[in-house]
Amino acid sequence: MAAYFDPGSPFSALRAIDLGKRLFDQSWLEQWIGYTTAWVEPVADLGAGTVTALLPDTLLTVLSEGILSRFGGREISVTLLGHRLTGTLDVLKVRRRGAHFQTKSVLRELRWDNRDIHEVTVISHEVRLVPGVPTRVRANRVDIDGTVTVESVLGWLADRQREWELSVTDRGRIHAVHRRKRITAELDASVTDDTLELVVHRARWSGIPVPRRWRTMKPIRIAELPHGARVRRAVRDGDLVRFTIELGPVDGSFDLAQIRSAIVAGTTLIVF
């Protein structure tokens, strides 16, 4: 429906009243709402119990297109397995890979609980959906590639290494000062396949330089991480740290009605 106003035509109170009625007509509003949210209607139907052979394809397509349409280029909030994530959604894709699916999402300026991540790309492999209330979702493997500032990494380490005072040098290296033993060091760190390697460039004890042969450190094996996570790679690149993390099988579930309401209202998506 389109309404036009011709400034050259005489004013008609009856026409104005008619236009007002049409603008506030309930059926017209319902049609507009139905049109602008048409992409979420299949979710409502599925939540009501409609099941077809193409359910996983339909559901994943509707969800990905709906979420991207609503939040693409904008801030999105997600509660994922009890963790709060907030960031700008740039990419969300779903592809069929044989009997399963593969999903890819890219977010920037991400805040994961109290940790800031510059950018992250998450690819979930062998994704399966099990219809029901709630709907179950399982990924056989999840690859996470991202970048985080060195300052954010040091903030995370400071919570776990309270005997050391950590800061960043002009070269982007780590400057470490032991709070009790009068040891200072300038070092780099990298991770390859769950193995931490530390390279000490300079070190002093009570102001006395430590010889190079005493600065050599053996690689350190990282302790087992939650959810079967493995740090494949983490290296410093200027003021950033580029990392790759692999997660083992991940299980979750979501309420279709909650997801639909969150997409329409622009509120938090919950996967638990």
Side-chain angles (χ1 to χ4, degrees):
M1 180 194 74
Y4 301 92
F5 174 68
D6 181 5
S9 63
F11 175 76
S12 170
L14 292 177
R15 287 180 56 195
I17 293 173
D18 179 63
L19 176 60
K21 287 182 177 180
R22 282 185 289 163
L23 286 175
F24 292 97
D25 181 69
Q26 186 66 25
S27 63
W28 182 84
L29 288 175
E30 290 176 351
Q31 290 175 15
W32 179 80
I33 292 173
Y35 172 77
T36 55
T37 61
W39 45 266
V40 296
E41 291 309 322
V43 178
D45 294 338
L46 294 172
T50 303
V51 178
T52 69
L54 296 177
L55 173 61
D57 300 73
T58 303
L59 182 54
L60 278 176
T61 299
V62 167
L63 287 176
S64 61
E65 291 182 356
I67 293 172
L68 187 60
S69 175
R70 184 69 176 84
F71 296 101
R74 300 175 55 189
E75 184 178 274
I76 183 173
S77 295
V78 181
T79 298
L80 179 62
L81 300 176
H83 297 277
R84 174 81 175 199
L85 290 79
T86 301
T88 301
L89 178 66
D90 284 340
V91 175
L92 181 58
K93 296 180 179 179
V94 176
R95 296 178 180 178
R96 175 171 279 282
R97 290 287 188 263
H100 304 104
F101 299 90
Q102 181 188 80
T103 66
K104 177 181 179 180
S105 57
V106 179
L107 298 103
R108 54 186 168 84
E109 305 304 328
L110 177 67
R111 188 167 182 80
W112 185 316
D113 290 337
N114 294 321
R115 303 183 184 93
D116 294 318
I117 301 177
H118 182 65
E119 184 177 84
V120 64
T121 298
V122 181
I123 300 179
S124 302
H125 303 273
E126 297 185 19
V127 178
R128 288 172 286 175
L129 286 181
V130 180
V133 182
T135 298
R136 302 289 304 177
V137 59
R138 176 183 175 86
N140 193 48
R141 191 179 89 247
V142 178
D143 295 328
I144 303 174
D145 288 279
T147 55
V148 61
T149 63
V150 176
E151 288 86 349
S152 295
V153 174
L154 294 187
W156 177 73
L157 291 174
D159 293 336
R160 292 159 176 77
Q161 303 292 333
R162 297 189 179 277
E163 291 190 344
W164 289 91
E165 182 179 338
L166 305 174
S167 60
V168 183
T169 70
D170 294 338
R171 299 181 181 182
R173 294 172 179 169
I174 300 172
H175 182 70
V177 179
H178 199 280
R179 299 183 186 278
R180 293 184 298 104
K181 297 182 179 180
R182 295 180 293 175
I183 298 174
T184 63
E186 183 178 306
L187 53 90
D188 264 331
S190 63
V191 179
T192 302
D193 290 333
D194 286 338
T195 301
L196 172 66
E197 295 185 7
L198 294 173
V199 178
V200 181
H201 297 280
R202 297 183 179 86
R204 290 178 176 273
W205 177 71
S206 295
I208 303 173
V210 176
R212 180 185 298 271
R213 65 179 179 276
W214 292 352
R215 301 201 308 258
T216 302
M217 301 184 66
K218 293 182 179 180
I220 302 171
R221 188 70 178 174
I222 297 176
E224 184 176 346
L225 299 175
H227 304 294
R230 299 192 63 186
V231 182
R232 290 296 189 183
R233 180 182 69 99
V235 294
R236 182 177 65 85
D237 182 5
D239 294 332
L240 298 176
V241 175
R242 303 188 183 277
F243 63 89
T244 299
I245 297 176
E246 178 184 300
L247 298 180
V250 177
D251 289 282
S253 61
F254 55 88
D255 186 315
L256 287 172
Q258 189 279 330
I259 293 291
R260 179 181 186 273
S261 299
I263 294 174
V264 174
T267 54
T268 301
L269 303 172
I270 299 176
V271 180
F272 52 93

